[in-house]
Amino acid sequence: MSATPDDILPPYQGLALSGVLVVKSASDAASALQALAAADVIGFDTESKPTFAKGEESTGPHLVQLATDDSAYLFQIGAAPPPQVVALLRTVLESDAILKVGFGLGDDLRRVRAKLGIEPQNVLDLSTALRRRGERNPLGAKTAVARFFGQEMQKSKRITTTNWALPRLSDKQILYAADDAHAALRVYRRWRATQDAA
């Protein structure tokens, strides 16, 4: 199903809070690793605290989001990320067996390399992969969700520019971050299904 920007679309229904795990303990990390390592494809995104001063360098990523078909896992990355979290992210992101999909991943990949020393492998940037012939601009998650699901993904600027470095994230931040990774995976699955059917 496709949609034009002028259509009034029903809202995109993302994950519920019960489907999102903010990884805080060793048992959380073990559950996340088990689910992520078993996946063939995962959604991938990061969030960074915005910078407002001219010339100010970002210290992000402050949050790394990974999603399976039915859950999302959020990893808070402080100034000194816990070694077990970095090890888990390295295992998943550097795996050749797991495809990582997301939108506009250039900056995310650069920050993950710089801050965590992780070199993600087997990554597909949907912003360029889904671009139709003749389209010049990269495709964003909002446009892709409208195109593939006929729904509008809410992208509140207030949430986008919020402080992702906070030790405790709000429910709105958690759902926004989870949806960014999970929607990418859903779009990828739908896109592949249409490719296979063609």
Side-chain angles (χ1 to χ4, degrees):
M1 180 177 187
S2 64
T4 66
D6 295 328
D7 291 339
I8 297 173
L9 301 176
Y12 173 75
Q13 296 298 321
L15 287 169
L17 272 174
S18 59
V20 186
L21 178 63
V22 180
V23 176
K24 292 192 176 294
S25 66
S27 64
D28 288 347
S31 296
L33 181 58
Q34 184 178 18
L36 293 163
D40 59 332
V41 189
I42 60 173
F44 168 50
D45 193 31
T46 72
E47 303 294 344
S48 298
K49 176 184 173 183
T51 55
F52 297 106
K54 190 175 180 180
E56 184 184 355
E57 286 287 320
S58 172
T59 58
H62 297 103
L63 190 70
V64 175
Q65 306 104 269
L66 302 175
T68 62
D69 288 306
D70 52 14
S71 302
Y73 302 89
L74 309 188
F75 302 87
Q76 292 179 285
I77 309 296
Q84 65 268 27
V85 167
V86 177
L88 184 159
L89 291 173
R90 177 172 283 111
T91 297
V92 174
L93 293 175
E94 292 189 350
S95 170
D96 276 325
I98 306 167
L99 175 64
K100 277 70 68 175
V101 299
F103 288 95
L105 293 176
D107 198 44
D108 304 89
L109 296 172
R110 189 171 67 251
R111 291 181 182 187
V112 163
R113 284 188 203 107
K115 186 168 182 177
L116 303 176
I118 293 172
E119 189 65 52
Q121 303 296 320
N122 197 8
V123 176
L124 178 67
D125 194 328
L126 298 172
S127 292
T128 50
L130 300 180
R131 196 161 50 187
R132 291 173 173 160
R133 185 172 299 161
E135 286 181 337
R136 292 187 186 172
N137 295 329
L139 191 73
K142 188 171 181 171
T143 304
V145 164
R147 180 182 293 177
F148 285 94
F149 297 106
Q151 297 173 341
E152 182 177 8
M153 190 174 183
Q154 300 295 324
K155 298 288 270 180
S156 162
K157 189 135 182 121
R158 220 172 88 224
I159 300 294
T160 308
T161 58
T162 195
N163 184 358
W164 295 102
L166 290 171
R168 185 180 176 87
L169 299 174
S170 70
D171 288 353
K172 284 186 176 180
Q173 284 179 302
I174 289 169
L175 289 173
Y176 177 97
D179 276 349
D180 268 1
H182 190 251
L185 177 57
R186 287 193 64 207
V187 165
Y188 171 80
R189 295 280 195 213
R190 179 65 63 91
W191 172 58
R192 287 312 309 250
T194 61
Q195 296 287 300
D196 294 342

